[in-house]
Amino acid sequence: MRLSCLQDNLSRGLSVVGRAVATRTTLPITQNVLISTDQSRLKLAATNLEIAISAWIGAQVEEEGSITLPARLLTEFVNSLPAERVDITSVAQPRGLALSCARFEAHINGTAPEDFPPIPTVESGVTIKVEPQVLKDAITHVAFAAATEDSRPVLTGIEVEIAGDDFTF
């Protein structure tokens, strides 16, 4: 894999998928982010086995490829870089990525993408559009009642019922 992208875009993409990275887990690969090329774009994906988030960012892809890297380490390094072009190259031994930006360079060891849990795709279902502020306000009004401990996981969520144009939280 060989590509280049802007530091701002890579940082933003990592922060989006970072919300799905597992913090405490018995499956260490879920603490990684899957990095792959997808039709001249860079695809970032993460999962904690309950939720999965994928993000695509623009990139100049010279060679296709994929790998998983430790999410926290990669995010902290990318966030410390200046807002310039980041060149990313895969390294065979040990398996990993070489990143360079301006005068900064790093080699981060990774693992095979085949070991990463499959990210499900959403083919069909209910599609809705709602103003972000309306959704945020509705969630804020009911979230205080959700349980904070995991002894009864069903009580830690918010039920959403959709009937026509009406939402009930």
Side-chain angles (χ1 to χ4, degrees):
M1 174 169 41
R2 185 179 312 144
L3 61 99
S4 61
C5 61
L6 294 177
Q7 184 271 346
D8 291 339
N9 294 342
L10 184 56
S11 178
R12 194 175 312 114
L14 287 169
S15 72
V16 168
V17 299
R19 292 178 174 91
V21 173
T23 51
R24 287 179 240 119
T25 182
T26 56
L27 189 60
I29 195 137
T30 58
Q31 293 178 330
N32 287 7
V33 62
L34 175 64
I35 299 172
S36 59
T37 54
D38 180 24
Q39 301 174 359
S40 298
R41 298 182 298 173
L42 183 62
K43 179 182 178 185
L44 306 172
T47 183
N48 62 9
L49 300 180
E50 288 184 14
I51 64 167
I53 299 176
S54 297
W56 287 262
I57 61 172
Q60 291 180 314
V61 178
E62 295 175 31
E63 273 183 35
E64 301 284 329
S66 61
I67 192 167
T68 70
L69 296 174
R72 198 175 117 238
L73 180 63
L74 178 63
T75 302
E76 288 176 2
F77 177 72
V78 169
N79 289 342
S80 70
L81 295 174
E84 294 184 22
R85 188 182 84 199
V86 179
D87 296 313
I88 301 171
T89 307
S90 61
V91 178
Q93 287 296 53
R95 175 176 283 179
L97 284 184
L99 294 94
S100 63
C101 178
R103 61 175 205 247
F104 301 96
E105 292 183 9
H107 176 88
I108 301 176
N109 292 337
T111 57
E114 296 82 26
D115 298 338
F116 199 77
I119 304 292
T121 57
V122 179
E123 306 271 330
S124 63
V126 177
T127 303
I128 56 172
K129 290 185 179 184
V130 63
E131 291 294 320
Q133 191 59 44
V134 172
L135 181 61
K136 180 180 177 186
D137 291 343
I139 292 171
T140 302
H141 281 79
V142 297
F144 73 91
T148 56
E149 60 182 58
D150 291 334
S151 61
R152 293 185 55 198
V154 72
L155 299 177
T156 62
I158 298 171
E159 180 180 15
V160 180
E161 293 180 8
I162 303 169
D165 291 340
D166 296 329
F167 291 83
T168 305
F169 289 81

